[in-house]
Amino acid sequence: MSASHPPVRRYRPPAPLGGRRHASGGLARRSAGAFAFLAPALIVIGLFVIWPMVSALRLSFTDASGFGREEWVGLENYVTVFTDPDILNAVVNTVQYTVLFTPAAVLAALGLALLLVNPHLPFRSFFRTALFVPFVISFAVAAFAWSYLIDPQVGLLNHWLGGLGIRMGNVLQDPTLAMPAVAFVAVWKLFGFYFVIFLAGLQDIPSSLYEAARVDGAGPWSRFRHVTLPLLSNTMAFVLVFAMIAALQAFDQIYVMTGGGPYGHTQTVVMEIYESGFRKLEVGFASALSYVLLAATLILSLVQFVFFGRREKDLSS
Amino acid sequence: MTRMRTLLGAGAAALALTATGCSGGGDADGPVELTFWHGYTEADGDVLEEIVEEFNASHEDITIKTEVKTWAGIDDTLLTALSAQEGPDLVAMPSERLPVYASRGAFVPLDEFYEGDDAAANLVPGAVDMVEVEGEKYGVPAGFVPLAVYYDTALFAEAGVEEFPQTWEQWVEVAERLTVDENGDGTPERYGVVLPDHATVANGLWPTLFYGNGGDVVEDGRAVIDSPENAATLEFWRSAIEDGAISPTGVDGVGADELFGGGKAAMTVGGPWMASIAAENGIDYAIAPIPAGPEAQAASAIGISMATTVDTGDAEREAAQEFFSFFLDEANAVKWSLGSGWPPLRTDIPAEEVASNPVVASLTEMADLGRPLLPGVVNSVDVLTAVDELTQQALAGGDVDALLAQAQADIEAALE
Amino acid sequence: MSLAATSRRGRRAPKPSTVLATIAVVAVSAVVLLPIAIIVLTAFKPVAEVNAFPPSLFPHEWTLDNLRQVTSDLPFLRLTANSFVFAGGVTAFALTFDSLAAYALARMDFTGRRALLIVIIATLMIPFQATLIPLYQLVADLGWVNSYAGLIAPRAADAFGIFFLRQFFLALPRDVDAAARIDGASEFRVFRSIVLPNAVPALLTLGLFTFVNNWNDLLWPLVFTTEAEMGTITSGLTLLTGPSGIVPHGVMMAGSLLAILPLVIAFLFIQRRFIENIATTGLK
């Protein structure tokens, strides 16, 4: 594709996250029509997602093991969630992971999108594809490949860096390096998806706005702040929320690379959920922990939506 | 709850016109069919298949169908299968996992079988300890072998080591001789021994070393890990590894096996599969008992147990017991031992019968050293995590006394 | 004429910022592609080289043994076929159901729209490990264990797809469909003939995303299929682990290579349309 502009059409302001409001009237009739559209998806989600979620909620108030006898224990599991030091450790680790992953992934994605929107960059098509390929690899395979690369005995990276005089040591068993390492693998795998979304968002900003800013004497940083960022805010909100949700649920590569170690330094909340449920057969407790995670994620996401919603209002004024 | 589920299921089934797939429910007529999940692959798996086939052939009314998964795979999938009554009838699993499932009611008690069957009377006692939970027996041993040292005889000959070390001091000394650091950069190209400091083979290395100095992890249901003996053990090995660089640190059990297979270590502590790994990698190996510590010579045992799940009817449970009888009778015990490379599960098998397999012969000689790991402990997951955290941090130079106190507290909490 | 066009016509040296940008992008791409190279190259290394020290990127001796072992250890073709059925089936249903629901949430007014949206998004916030057991019990009650129906049905619609397409539909101009409605077209007509054709880029994006994620999904096919033959290639790879827990690197890389090959081929095939057209995804 040559560096042409998207097809000319009347410029529309960004879609607000809350959706537009319609003229009222005939609500009941329209509701019935809407239901027909919603039915297939709602049946599937209601039956196969929401119903198990309700089941899990019920389980969280029991000492169930998934099979056999179960007894009602009320809020006991939830009390354990908030008082058990291992859970606290997992929460701290999960927060640490989220703080490492989310900005890194989003900034990398945004930075590369800004670089690749430049029409003069050679081989843009190749780079766009290359940066997206990790997304296609599964987390387990990615974790396996990276573990092999940084293996203290036979790792290629260790060998190359050793040649440059940098001793990597045993990264995955180092209490300070293990968490950044597993966060890095996730950034590697997921940033390509966010990158593509940012690229789309950037390409949709009409160059006329940049021209106007340039004419007004704005430099590159000023143009970025006053043209790019505001018009990207919806995209940014979308990417941030989903990146954060992905970070809060980190599991696959941690399971493969460190198993939660060294001595619990990479144990995340979902690792605890998996261990409690599948290793210790404490399904009731695992469900309670899952619901606390759900509540935390929901609150954090709503906060983000409200924050970006407010910025939108500022812009449209 | 079950009523609601059935209602929902019935309603959804009415909508579901495409209900394909049949559930393997037991039929009243016809042969009893048992599904058997196990993790024996390659050579072991082939021998087990043979035994199962012979059983099927000789028992017209029973058919056993095996499903081979990995041991980890069984752990991941058994719970969900049982939760929907879609579980197998027979399952084999690492012995320390059995108490978790048994205590939650996943397995059928087998005391009746043990009273009635004469094979059961002659089983290795340690193996039987592994299947007992809260006074009842919930399984049947399928394998029980002490950890042993697998070493590279070529490297030993090269270094002029004639006799395998018998004590810890000798062991460290030999390991130092076999450690090679040609370029003097502090990282040996080849280590004398590989001692993993977490997730060790069958979680048994450090219990073994503790036993050697008269210490233990859990005794009679009480945490005894915080002891001067264990402190001395940890100090001994930490300085041995630090001073002589005889072993890499931060390695786990699987990594240790890989290092040995890759020729990067002259000795490793492992199980019978090391024989095939050595053979695959062209390493001439021999097996020796783990050297004695100051107080005792003992080795933690690797165990596999078989059990009957509660997803079975009476007919299936009887059929399962017949299979256990068959599996443990003298002829099959010998066949299984020779084929799998693990010592026989019966104590009344004369040594000559298993002499044809040298691995089995060596391991059978040292079978008395085997001690079951955490028998009957339901929350072995947390206990073993506590041990791992203790050993990994101790070997990294942490404060041994504080770490032992922490481990003691953690294990006490886990045993409640 | 913009400055950009002028400099394209002349044979001037590239601007320093472009040079720096190119270097940065090349460096990042190298890091990004390194593990891919490792997967591809290690798949062809003999065992001795995989654990050799010092390690090298390229094999000294190329071997097909690893690939051979993968295809002999696993019912490989069957597993790949299952992956296609699973990922393809889920994608087909999800695109259909999600777009219908997204359209309703974006363009139609009804009571409880806000609340429904929040409930749908909330379903993304609970880890799958928590709902796995009740879900499995439900599917077993339906009699669908070890069947394609049971494997596909729980994924036939998903919250991410609905939210993603809703954002897209919200940004599409309404002039044309307003005109169509005045002409008396039913809502479904509008959806099918006017909105959907304009949604092809978003549908392609979501389709690829859904297909890749389900192809690579490990936990659900692993737990759901108790028979080895019904598994997917991703769940099948776990069987390559040896009895002691050792994962033979060469064999596992070979298996991984075979597992991702269909994905990479499909991706390269549609990547031009996909990445270029994502420009109008409307997530702005």
Side-chain angles (χ1 to χ4, degrees):
Chain A
M1 177 181 117
S2 63
S4 57
H5 294 288
V8 175
R9 65 169 195 273
R10 206 173 78 212
Y11 178 70
R12 305 202 64 81
L17 292 170
R20 293 192 181 81
R21 309 237 243 102
H22 292 262
S24 54
L27 187 59
R29 181 180 53 81
R30 285 205 299 278
S31 294
F35 183 70
F37 275 77
L38 291 166
L42 285 187
I43 290 177
V44 170
I45 293 183
L47 191 60
F48 295 112
V49 182
I50 299 194
W51 169 247
M53 280 173 74
V54 171
S55 248
L57 182 60
R58 189 195 62 81
L59 285 173
S60 73
F61 296 110
T62 69
D63 68 351
S65 63
F67 56 87
R69 275 184 358 260
E70 68 178 47
E71 268 178 35
W72 187 265
V73 294
L75 290 176
E76 203 179 289
N77 288 329
Y78 287 96
V79 169
T80 313
V81 167
F82 287 103
T83 54
D84 186 330
D86 287 338
I87 304 297
L88 182 63
N89 176 52
V91 169
V92 168
N93 286 340
T94 307
V95 169
Q96 187 190 9
Y97 177 92
T98 307
V99 164
L100 283 173
F101 168 80
T102 315
V106 172
L107 288 175
L110 181 59
L112 283 161
L114 287 169
L115 286 179
L116 265 110
V117 87
N118 179 350
H120 298 303
L121 204 72
F123 307 116
R124 278 171 69 195
S125 220
F126 169 75
F127 287 127
R128 268 192 320 234
T129 313
L131 293 174
F132 191 75
V133 169
F135 181 74
V136 169
I137 315 288
S138 74
F139 250 120
V141 171
F144 187 65
W146 275 107
S147 296
Y148 183 55
L149 273 171
I150 59 177
D151 184 295
Q153 315 293 341
V154 293
L156 206 54
L157 269 185
N158 294 46
H159 184 57
W160 286 345
L161 290 178
L164 295 175
I166 307 172
R167 297 205 57 193
M168 274 179 77
N170 193 341
V171 173
L172 292 178
Q173 293 303 322
D174 184 325
T176 41
L177 293 180
M179 185 58 101
V182 295
F184 173 77
V185 172
V187 171
W188 175 87
K189 176 164 153 55
L190 293 177
F191 92 101
F193 185 66
Y194 309 139
F195 155 76
V196 158
I197 294 178
F198 276 130
L199 203 57
L202 285 173
Q203 283 172 338
D204 255 345
I205 300 177
S207 53
S208 52
L209 289 179
Y210 285 116
E211 283 303 312
R214 218 179 270 124
V215 162
D216 280 351
W221 174 244
S222 195
R223 288 203 297 275
F224 178 71
R225 267 187 67 203
H226 294 113
V227 180
T228 315
L229 270 189
L231 288 173
L232 267 187
S233 66
N234 262 330
T235 315
M236 183 74 86
F238 182 86
V239 168
L240 267 175
V241 168
F242 280 98
M244 186 196 69
I245 293 178
L248 290 172
Q249 297 193 7
F251 174 77
D252 298 74
Q253 83 278 27
I254 299 179
Y255 183 75
V256 170
M257 294 177 89
T258 61
Y263 24 103
H265 270 75
T266 57
Q267 183 83 336
T268 57
V269 171
V270 178
M271 287 283 295
E272 275 290 342
I273 293 172
Y274 172 80
E275 265 181 32
S276 309
F278 284 80
R279 296 264 162 252
K280 302 200 276 191
L281 304 188
E282 290 171 4
V283 171
F285 176 74
S287 304
L289 186 54
S290 306
Y291 263 89
V292 173
L293 179 66
L294 172 91
T297 312
L298 198 54
I299 292 173
L300 286 170
S301 305
L302 285 176
V303 163
Q304 293 208 344
F305 274 127
V306 166
F307 173 71
F308 279 95
R310 217 177 278 138
R311 291 199 64 195
E312 257 182 84
K313 289 207 189 72
D314 294 339
L315 288 173
S316 50
S317 59
Chain B
M1 182 58 208
T2 331
R3 230 181 48 227
M4 202 150 66
R5 245 181 60 213
T6 323
L7 256 175
L8 198 70
L15 292 172
L17 304 168
T18 56
T20 53
C22 45
S23 54
D27 297 327
D29 314 315
V32 176
E33 221 190 72
L34 298 177
T35 38
F36 179 15
W37 287 8
H38 67 82
Y40 288 107
T41 53
E42 297 170 11
D44 302 3
D46 292 337
V47 177
L48 185 57
E49 289 301 314
E50 264 182 54
I51 295 180
V52 168
E53 269 164 32
E54 275 172 36
F55 178 82
N56 287 340
S58 59
H59 291 73
E60 286 171 1
D61 48 343
I62 309 177
T63 313
I64 298 185
K65 185 166 129 15
T66 58
E67 192 67 48
V68 182
K69 302 168 170 261
T70 54
W71 298 117
I74 290 179
D75 231 347
D76 283 333
T77 55
L78 185 59
L79 170 60
T80 33
L82 289 174
S83 73
Q85 285 106 49
E86 293 279 339
D89 303 296
L90 292 171
V91 63
M93 59 172 54
S95 300
E96 62 273 15
R97 299 294 299 148
L98 181 126
V100 185
Y101 287 95
S103 69
R104 297 297 204 144
F107 296 144
V108 171
L110 291 174
D111 292 321
E112 203 186 278
F113 168 76
Y114 277 87
E115 277 155 31
D117 192 283
D118 53 19
N122 290 307
L123 294 175
V124 174
V128 177
D129 284 344
M130 290 302 303
V131 302
E132 202 173 297
V133 181
E134 281 151 18
E136 280 201 68
K137 299 187 184 46
Y138 285 94
V140 157
F144 188 79
V145 62
L147 284 173
V149 182
Y150 292 74
Y151 64 99
D152 188 327
T153 48
L155 293 179
F156 264 59
E158 202 183 282
V161 180
E162 285 167 4
E163 212 190 289
F164 193 82
Q166 307 286 322
T167 67
W168 280 7
E169 284 80 12
Q170 290 173 1
W171 197 10
V172 172
E173 194 218 346
V174 168
E176 278 172 1
R177 276 162 73 179
L178 287 163
T179 301
V180 172
D181 184 7
E182 273 169 15
N183 54 16
D185 63 353
T187 309
E189 288 79 47
R190 191 183 70 228
Y191 292 92
V193 67
V194 183
L195 292 176
D197 56 26
H198 66 285
T200 64
V201 172
N203 296 293
L205 175 64
W206 287 97
T208 301
L209 295 176
F210 289 148
Y211 300 152
N213 199 20
D216 206 332
V217 178
V218 168
E219 208 181 290
D220 295 329
R222 277 178 11 232
V224 296
I225 194 159
D226 191 356
S227 65
E229 291 85 9
N230 289 345
T233 306
L234 289 169
E235 293 283 5
F236 178 90
W237 285 104
R238 189 183 52 76
S239 57
I241 293 175
E242 243 180 56
D243 300 338
I246 56 176
S247 163
T249 53
V251 179
D252 66 4
V254 173
D257 287 353
E258 284 177 348
L259 283 173
F260 180 77
K264 294 205 182 45
M267 296 186 268
T268 188
V269 175
W273 58 81
M274 292 310 301
S276 40
I277 291 182
E280 265 170 34
N281 288 288
I283 297 177
D284 287 325
Y285 72 96
I287 310 174
I290 296 184
E295 293 297 318
Q297 186 176 28
S300 184
I302 313 168
I304 309 279
S305 308
M306 288 190 291
T308 311
T309 68
V310 291
D311 278 359
T312 46
D314 290 326
E316 279 121 4
R317 293 175 192 193
E318 272 183 43
Q321 288 193 13
E322 284 208 42
F323 176 69
F324 293 150
S325 268
F326 181 81
F327 182 80
L328 292 172
D329 74 23
E330 282 192 42
N332 283 311
V334 171
K335 181 171 186 170
W336 176 235
S337 170
L338 287 175
S340 65
W342 293 50
L345 291 160
R346 296 177 65 128
T347 48
D348 56 352
I349 309 253
E352 312 88 65
E353 296 216 29
V354 292
S356 56
N357 182 329
V359 174
V360 179
S362 321
L363 291 170
T364 311
E365 258 180 53
M366 61 178 94
D368 290 337
L369 297 176
R371 289 205 203 170
L373 177 65
L374 301 178
V377 172
V378 170
N379 194 359
S380 53
V381 173
D382 283 344
V383 173
L384 292 171
T385 303
V387 173
D388 270 357
E389 291 187 4
L390 165 70
T391 53
Q392 194 171 12
Q393 292 183 77
L395 261 70
D399 177 348
V400 170
D401 294 319
L403 289 170
L404 280 171
Q406 178 68 48
Q408 175 81 7
D410 289 340
I411 295 179
E412 275 167 10
L415 290 175
E416 270 157 29
Chain C
M1 255 277 165
S2 67
L3 270 147
T6 325
S7 61
R8 233 186 304 133
R9 266 198 278 141
R11 289 290 222 113
R12 299 208 179 100
K15 290 161 53 176
S17 59
T18 311
V19 171
L20 278 174
T22 312
I23 294 176
V25 173
V26 166
V28 172
S29 299
V31 172
V32 164
L33 291 178
L34 181 60
I36 316 284
I38 284 287
I39 294 174
V40 172
L41 294 171
T42 310
F44 296 103
K45 277 189 192 166
V47 177
E49 274 193 55
V50 169
N51 290 319
F53 186 85
S56 62
L57 182 60
F58 287 92
H60 298 304
E61 191 193 308
W62 294 74
T63 173
L64 291 176
D65 280 347
N66 296 327
L67 286 169
R68 253 183 242 125
Q69 197 176 330
V70 173
T71 47
S72 69
D73 280 358
L74 303 174
F76 185 74
L77 286 175
R78 177 73 203 262
L79 294 180
T80 308
N82 288 339
S83 281
F84 269 109
V85 171
F86 173 52
V90 169
T91 306
F93 279 109
L95 284 179
T96 314
F97 294 170
D98 287 350
S99 55
L100 284 167
Y103 182 77
L105 283 166
R107 303 286 220 170
M108 299 171 83
D109 199 7
F110 54 94
T111 42
R113 197 173 67 161
R114 260 284 155 83
L116 186 60
L117 189 59
I118 292 186
V119 167
I120 289 178
I121 294 186
T123 63
L124 289 170
M125 301 182 183
I126 196 165
F128 185 58
Q129 285 85 349
T131 50
L132 178 57
I133 291 175
L135 173 63
Y136 185 80
Q137 288 173 338
L138 175 62
V139 179
D141 278 349
L142 291 173
W144 284 352
V145 178
N146 276 321
S147 70
Y148 288 125
L151 199 54
I152 294 174
R155 305 293 174 87
D158 73 290
F160 179 79
I162 294 176
F163 190 68
F164 183 85
L165 288 175
R166 173 183 172 269
Q167 287 298 98
F168 179 82
F169 290 148
L170 282 176
L172 281 184
R174 288 162 193 274
D175 341 19
V176 187
D177 44 292
R181 269 192 213 101
I182 291 173
D183 282 347
S186 76
E187 202 66 52
F188 187 72
R189 248 345 267 292
V190 173
F191 170 73
R192 201 189 54 169
S193 315
I194 297 173
V195 174
L196 265 193
N198 280 317
V200 168
L203 289 172
L204 265 180
T205 310
L206 184 63
L208 181 72
F209 182 80
T210 308
F211 191 82
V212 167
N213 278 345
N214 281 287
W215 182 281
N216 286 332
D217 189 16
L218 177 60
L219 198 50
W220 176 238
L222 181 69
V223 161
F224 180 71
T225 58
T226 49
E227 286 162 28
E229 290 246 315
M230 283 300 297
T232 58
I233 183 67
T234 309
S235 68
L237 284 184
T238 58
L239 291 174
L240 291 174
T241 313
S244 59
I246 292 188
V247 182
H249 282 70
V251 176
M252 188 58 104
M253 299 288 191
S256 307
L257 181 61
L258 289 174
I260 65 179
L261 214 49
L263 288 181
V264 174
I265 291 175
F267 170 64
L268 288 176
F269 199 62
I270 70 166
Q271 69 100 1
R272 292 210 76 203
R273 282 203 75 191
F274 163 70
I275 291 194
E276 291 160 12
N277 285 303
I278 201 173
T280 49
T281 305
L283 284 170
K284 56 184 166 63

